[in-house]
Amino acid sequence: MSMSVGAEDDGEDKPMSEINTTPLVDIMLVLLIIFLITVPVVVQTVKVQLPNVRFEPTQTKPENVSLSVRGGPGNTCEVYWNLTRVDSKELLDRAVAKLRLEVDKQGGPTAQGIELPEAHVRGDVNTPWMCVAGAIYNMQLAGFQKVGFISEPPAGGTIRL
């Protein structure tokens, strides 16, 4: 960095008291250009095509399991198998028993073309996510391969297809 000195009347050179801002402006412009170039590179986005909202009527089969999940008092979870309230262990036991019954009806585990039942989960809007996730986990742990959500289309609204 340089410093300029000016001549005084008495002939002695004294340093100037003003700050030379030219190098500071140069550095700031270089940094601005660097940031303008690097910010688009640093901000990475993943291109995702979100699904369109559609209403597909559910094919209700008698072998499918209907679960209703809602939040209970004191941050507890309430899970209902059809209309019967079950806890986590009972949900797992019922799910395993249901799958065994359906597999036995179709000729046993070695039979070809077995169609396993599905689990349909209805979650209340105000249900904590851990309640719904716990119900899904238990159903998958029991062996259910298809676990889906049941929802209602918006009332009076149009549905995009």
Side-chain angles (χ1 to χ4, degrees):
M1 192 167 196
S2 63
M3 180 171 57
S4 55
V5 290
E8 290 280 329
D9 291 341
D10 57 2
E12 289 186 29
D13 291 336
K14 291 187 177 179
M16 294 178 56
S17 62
E18 295 96 24
I19 297 174
N20 185 4
T21 58
T22 304
L24 177 66
V25 171
D26 290 345
I27 291 172
M28 295 305 286
L29 287 174
V30 168
L31 287 175
L32 178 66
I33 291 170
I34 289 172
F35 286 133
L36 287 176
I37 292 171
T38 59
V39 166
V41 174
V42 173
V43 178
Q44 297 177 356
T45 59
V46 176
K47 302 263 184 203
V48 176
Q49 182 178 359
L50 298 175
N52 292 330
V53 177
R54 292 188 288 181
F55 176 69
E56 295 177 10
T58 305
Q59 298 296 328
T60 304
K61 299 175 187 173
E63 64 269 8
N64 289 346
V65 176
S66 177
L67 297 176
S68 299
V69 183
R70 67 179 185 186
N75 265 349
T76 60
C77 301
E78 296 178 358
V79 179
Y80 293 87
W81 181 290
N82 293 330
L83 297 175
T84 307
R85 185 172 176 185
V86 293
D87 62 3
S88 183
K89 182 177 180 344
E90 190 176 358
L91 176 64
L92 183 61
D93 293 342
R94 280 187 175 212
V96 168
K98 176 72 173 176
L99 278 179
R100 282 189 185 146
L101 178 69
E102 289 300 322
V103 169
D104 289 343
K105 277 185 188 177
Q106 296 181 29
T110 58
Q112 297 293 325
I114 293 178
E115 289 192 28
L116 296 175
E118 300 175 5
H120 296 161
V121 179
R122 288 178 171 82
D124 186 61
V125 173
N126 299 318
T127 302
W129 65 269
M130 65 181 179
C131 295
V132 176
I136 292 170
Y137 175 76
N138 279 331
M139 297 307 284
Q140 288 179 338
L141 188 63
F144 277 79
Q145 295 178 352
K146 293 184 180 179
V147 179
F149 293 102
I150 304 296
S151 62
E152 293 182 15
T158 59
I159 300 169
R160 294 184 292 159
L161 295 176

